[in-house]
Amino acid sequence: MSAPHAGRYEALERAVGHHFRDPALLETALTHTSYANEARRGTRHNERLEFLGDSVLSIVVADYLFTHKNMPEGELTRMRASLVCESALFGFAKQIHLGDYLRLGHGEEMNGGRERPSVVSDAFEAVIAALYLDGGIEAARRFILPFVTASLTDKNAEEDYKTRLQEIIQQNPEERLRYVVAGESGPDHDKRFVVEVHLNSNCIGRGEGHSKKQAEQMAAKEALALMGC
């Protein structure tokens, strides 16, 4: 494989916070099997890097949670799973526009591979491996942890809305609170959900999000605002 063109990935290097001593590692991380199959013989794809990146990601996230979260093993396991799942990685990758840099075969390009969660999340793991191989575990850790800490902050904030609303409603045991999906739209990789929170038969809040859970949190947030809480 020829050396990557100088400057091709400068913006991506800035986004990941690392200048590659071996830029071929980054280029391989961005190369889907469909591209390698259509290119000349010997072109490398990112599947091996994805394998390694999955393990590096898992140890970095596990180490952070073990150090910073005083939780039993079961809760730590569930939290780690929520941070390393395909949907989470796809969301992280979108923040740095990783899909824009992927090298895809013609068919994958035409079929929307740059927005396909499985393709983009796999490439995200491959980039982690490239960082690890080029700069060691600390380079990978510096890249991963901002996504993790921001995601945990968002999760905590969202959970607070539902918890706070539930605590208020529980002061009147006869009241019944429930969340109702009022609509959904968009393709599978970019779903939008609308959820209403009902107090008895009355809608007291409405929210939207990329998941039902997120939409529920936004509905609870609106209900708290309307209640002056």
Side-chain angles (χ1 to χ4, degrees), residues 27-154:
E27 183 158 271
T28 300
L30 300 171
T31 303
H32 189 253
T33 52
S34 62
Y35 182 95
N37 290 338
E38 293 179 12
R40 67 185 181 281
R41 187 174 180 178
T43 298
R44 296 177 181 176
H45 56 73
N46 63 11
E47 286 188 351
R48 281 174 52 84
L49 287 176
E50 175 205 338
F51 165 79
L52 177 61
D54 177 73
S55 296
V56 174
L57 172 66
S58 185
I59 188 62
V60 168
V61 172
D63 178 68
Y64 177 84
L65 293 177
F66 183 84
T67 304
H68 293 84
K69 300 292 180 182
N70 185 21
M71 296 176 172
E73 182 270 341
E75 291 184 36
L76 289 172
T77 298
R78 284 190 292 274
M79 184 170 286
R80 180 183 61 185
S82 73
L83 292 165
V84 302
C85 67
E86 180 181 285
S87 61
L89 300 186
F90 181 56
F92 299 160
K94 287 172 69 175
Q95 293 179 41
I96 59 172
H97 305 287
L98 187 62
D100 294 348
Y101 298 94
L102 298 185
R103 300 206 300 170
L104 304 174
H106 179 72
E108 190 65 42
E109 183 80 66
M110 297 301 293
N111 288 325
R114 295 186 189 279
E115 287 293 326
R116 195 186 304 278
S118 59
V119 171
V120 180
S121 62
D122 287 351
F124 187 84
E125 289 181 325
V127 168
I128 289 172
L131 285 164
Y132 171 72
L133 292 172
D134 195 74
I137 191 67
E138 288 307 316
R141 194 189 310 273
R142 285 193 300 270
F143 173 60
I144 295 166
L145 287 186
F147 295 107
V148 171
T149 55
S151 181
L152 290 174
T153 298
D154 290 343

